[in-house]
Amino acid sequence: AGWIAGTVNDTISQPLAGIDLDIYEATTGQRLTIGGLTQADGTYQIGPLAPGQYKLRCDPTIAQGYAVEYYDGKLNLALADPITVSGGVGATGKNFTLETGGSIAGQVVKAGTSQLLAGIDIDVFIVQGSSYIRLNQSAKTDANGNYLVGPLPVGTYLVRADDPLGQGLMATYYGNTVIQTQATYLALAAGQQHTGINIQMAVINGTGGAWRLYE
């Protein structure tokens, strides 16, 4: 077996302790049960690992205040660089420099009512030029329709509420639109928690076609 090792620091080269690291099979995207945790000096080692290719994620908590990052400085799992592990050899020097992140919070209700919606998926897309990159970080509303998603990198976002339960609701973006290009942009700064990012989920109009149109 082999292993993966490296360091996790902040942007001023201070080591970060207690940062969780998750590892995925590169081809399938399946998360493995093995993982790692940084030590007091910011170092980590994950193994033993069967020879193959893997993807790696630094997964701080919201309380730790740093944005989730995939190796090497990537925004999501699909973009992450694969790491090759060989038998009996360490893939070393797989280092991370984490930036201070932010979070987004709000409430989801059914449009035209005061009905709070529980169990709604919250998806976030970071805007880069004319592209919208969906991040792997997501959330689900609680019994009172509230959600909190993060930690997220600094940037400009779209936030979408998505009904996984088939309740006759349309995927709706912040700004209360089902059309992605008409959604309200949300700028997120380092250390910021945006609150009150509330969404009124539109109701399918009975034709059954709108969901497929906008997804």
Side-chain angles (χ1 to χ4, degrees):
W3 64 93
I4 298 173
T7 61
V8 180
N9 295 323
D10 64 14
T11 54
I12 58 171
S13 300
Q14 295 296 313
L16 298 177
I19 301 293
D20 184 48
L21 291 109
D22 304 321
I23 191 163
Y24 301 80
E25 290 184 349
T27 52
T28 65
Q30 180 179 356
R31 181 176 169 180
L32 305 185
T33 55
I34 191 172
L37 197 69
T38 57
Q39 305 303 303
D41 61 355
T43 61
Y44 73 88
Q45 181 171 308
I46 303 173
L49 295 168
Q53 286 200 316
Y54 299 90
K55 292 187 175 185
L56 189 60
R57 175 176 74 177
C58 254
D59 191 20
T61 65
I62 291 177
Q64 288 172 320
Y66 295 95
V68 171
E69 184 178 302
Y70 293 78
Y71 187 79
D72 182 19
K74 300 303 192 298
L75 289 168
N76 62 19
L77 184 62
L79 298 174
D81 293 347
I83 299 170
T84 300
V85 172
S86 302
V89 178
T92 59
K94 306 308 177 184
N95 305 327
F96 291 83
T97 300
L98 300 187
E99 298 183 351
T100 303
S103 59
I104 299 171
Q107 190 176 63
V108 180
V109 302
K110 186 175 182 180
T113 76
S114 58
Q115 180 183 344
L116 303 173
L117 296 175
I120 298 296
D121 290 333
I122 302 297
D123 305 318
V124 291
F125 301 79
I126 193 166
V127 181
Q128 291 196 338
S130 59
S131 299
Y132 304 100
I133 300 173
R134 181 175 175 178
L135 302 191
N136 294 109
Q137 296 97 295
S138 61
K140 195 177 287 287
T141 57
D142 63 16
N144 295 314
N146 297 312
Y147 72 87
L148 173 63
V149 60
L152 301 167
V154 170
T156 300
Y157 286 87
L158 301 183
V159 182
R160 183 179 71 179
D162 198 355
D163 174 21
L165 304 175
Q167 303 174 92
L169 302 167
M170 296 174 64
T172 306
Y173 292 87
Y174 175 58
N176 300 326
T177 177
V178 298
I179 303 173
Q180 188 177 61
T181 55
Q182 295 181 3
T184 299
Y185 285 21
L186 189 66
L188 186 66
Q192 182 179 21
Q193 183 182 89
H194 264 302
T195 59
I197 308 306
N198 304 327
I199 299 174
Q200 299 180 39
M201 290 194 76
V203 179
I204 292 177
N205 61 15
T207 65
W211 176 277
R212 288 187 293 274
L213 254 172
Y214 298 120
E215 281 294 294

